Amino acid sequence: MSAREKYISIFGKIDSLAEQQPWSTGLSNMLEWLTWSTGHVLGVTKTNYRKQIVAWSHDEEVRGANLDQKQDYVAGKISDELKRTEQSERHARPATSIATPREALRRAKYFSEDYLNKEFDIFWTLVSDVYLDKFYAQFTTLNAGGAWATHGNSGIFANSTGIAEMQMDNLSYNESERLLVANELKLGGKKNPDQILKYALMVRLLRERGFIHADARFLLLFIGDKKEVGTDWNRLIDSELAFCRSSPKSTSAAACRDDVLEIARTAEYASTTWGDMMSFNHAYLPRLDAVQQQVERKLLEGFSHSLASKQFMRMLG
């Protein structure tokens, strides 16, 4: 049994992006991220953690010591490291070091783009279709009234679609609208040099494998700390094409195909900011009944509160 088959047999799969995912899947995706990216639990990668322990056990002070003495020595070193690197201020610059659980949580909650992605996955799964219609109507034409299904970057997505080489942040698909939206989430980071073409390649594969309609429109929406203003998307595509042609990777070669370029050049592109999303949420709240729609009110208020606590929002003033 292959790793993919084993994953599907345990966790299941989807056959279409139109399939709704329960909000609890967002929680398991968060745990999946942590189990694969243990640096967010230990403070450093497992490899560096192991190397540091081995290095300490070979310090001159304990080079000839017995096992118990070495274990006590390393335990003391770890304790000293935890005390040295733990911060008491929310937005103090994080270090790459072994961390206490409290410090590891601080770094993830206020600084990690991946952590924000998982928060977004849960939030986007729980908000109403009406909310998503109104939000996306800012960037594209919608008839409204259809059902939205959202999918985060996870083993379920990768193993179901067979697309494991290309990473995405969040996909929202409305089958009745024939619309796929890729929500590319940023915390101050720049666009990858092949990001547009990789998304176009993903759309081609999703169409070919029946996960979205063959004629589904594609909107790539960047959500970040700054808005892309006056962007020449065709120029960016040309730049990405030159980059992919010089890359030895097989996915880069596949991203240069004419049908992928056609998807990229006919896609819709938009950009907004987290601050704009908070403003949208604030303006949307009055339309929600305080009793009948209390849950969605809490969702919007809660996500905006989380965004406001991030380090990058503090930097923006």
Side-chain angles (χ1 to χ4, degrees):
M1 182 181 289
S2 67
R4 179 186 178 191
E5 291 170 336
K6 186 180 295 186
Y7 188 100
I8 290 173
S9 71
I10 296 173
F11 301 109
K13 66 183 180 71
I14 57 172
D15 297 306
S16 166
L17 292 197
E19 291 183 34
Q20 299 284 338
Q21 289 291 290
W23 68 268
S24 55
T25 298
L27 292 179
S28 65
N29 290 348
M30 174 79 81
L31 180 58
E32 184 177 46
W33 166 63
L34 288 174
T35 56
W36 281 101
S37 303
T38 51
H40 294 287
V41 177
L42 302 173
V44 294
T45 64
K46 284 190 294 186
T47 299
N48 287 337
Y49 192 79
R50 182 182 66 247
K51 287 180 177 180
Q52 182 63 77
I53 290 175
V54 172
W56 278 330
S57 70
H58 279 69
D59 280 356
E60 187 174 349
E61 297 96 308
V62 292
R63 193 165 296 167
N66 61 39
L67 180 60
D68 288 341
Q69 290 170 327
K70 286 188 175 184
Q71 287 179 339
D72 289 342
Y73 178 80
V74 169
K77 283 290 188 180
I78 292 176
S79 179
D80 291 342
E81 182 78 353
L82 296 179
K83 292 175 183 176
R84 183 183 68 82
T85 60
E86 185 169 27
Q87 300 291 334
S88 57
E89 196 276 316
R90 174 181 290 184
H91 294 118
R93 184 182 297 276
T96 302
S97 59
I98 298 173
T100 64
R102 182 169 46 245
E103 175 62 13
L105 176 60
R106 185 189 74 88
R107 296 176 191 178
K109 184 175 177 66
Y110 302 118
F111 291 87
S112 171
E113 186 174 292
D114 286 329
Y115 184 93
L116 172 61
N117 290 351
K118 301 311 178 187
E119 287 184 305
F120 184 90
D121 289 347
I122 297 171
F123 172 60
W124 226 235
T125 301
L126 287 170
V127 291
S128 66
D129 292 331
V130 174
Y131 172 92
L132 292 177
D133 282 343
K134 294 293 184 182
F135 183 82
Y136 285 132
Q138 300 175 101
F139 314 108
T140 189
T141 302
L142 292 174
N143 293 318
W148 289 93
T150 187
H151 304 271
N153 190 17
S154 66
I156 290 178
F157 175 83
N159 287 290
S160 296
T161 62
I163 302 174
E165 304 86 355
M166 295 163 289
Q167 300 297 307
M168 55 78 171
D169 288 339
N170 180 281
L171 300 178
S172 295
Y173 182 56
N174 190 313
E175 188 172 34
S176 64
E177 293 282 349
R178 301 288 202 274
L179 174 63
L180 175 68
V181 182
N183 302 295
E184 179 60 25
L185 315 179
K186 296 294 185 185
L187 273 187
K190 295 182 179 179
K191 181 188 76 65
N192 295 336
D194 56 359
Q195 197 156 52
I196 294 175
L197 291 181
K198 288 290 182 66
Y199 268 116
L201 175 57
M202 179 179 288
V203 171
R204 179 179 72 80
L205 294 175
L206 290 172
R207 286 175 176 172
E208 288 180 352
R209 296 172 185 179
F211 282 88
I212 60 175
H213 282 279
D215 61 348
R217 292 186 294 136
F218 175 51
L219 166 64
L220 178 52
L221 175 62
F222 289 91
I223 309 176
D225 57 326
K226 296 178 182 178
K227 186 178 293 187
E228 299 282 344
V229 179
T231 302
D232 186 337
W233 298 103
N234 277 315
R235 182 185 61 79
L236 281 180
I237 293 169
D238 290 338
S239 176
E240 290 198 9
L241 182 60
F243 175 85
C244 288
R245 282 174 173 167
S246 65
S247 172
K249 296 180 179 179
S250 59
T251 51
S252 295
C256 295
R257 287 177 40 152
D258 289 342
D259 52 359
V260 174
L261 280 172
E262 177 66 17
I263 292 171
R265 295 200 188 280
T266 56
E268 300 174 61
Y269 298 94
S271 173
T272 191
T273 68
W274 295 113
D276 287 342
M277 178 179 283
M278 292 169 67
S279 296
F280 179 87
N281 289 350
H282 181 74
Y284 190 87
L285 282 170
R287 68 179 290 134
L288 299 175
D289 184 89
V291 176
Q292 299 299 322
Q293 296 171 298
Q294 182 182 158
V295 172
E296 188 161 28
R297 291 183 65 92
K298 289 183 176 181
L299 283 173
L300 270 60
E301 291 169 345
F303 190 67
S304 292
H305 180 271
S306 180
L307 286 174
S309 73
K310 306 296 184 185
Q311 188 268 349
F312 80 96
M313 291 298 290
R314 182 192 185 202
M315 296 297 291
L316 292 175

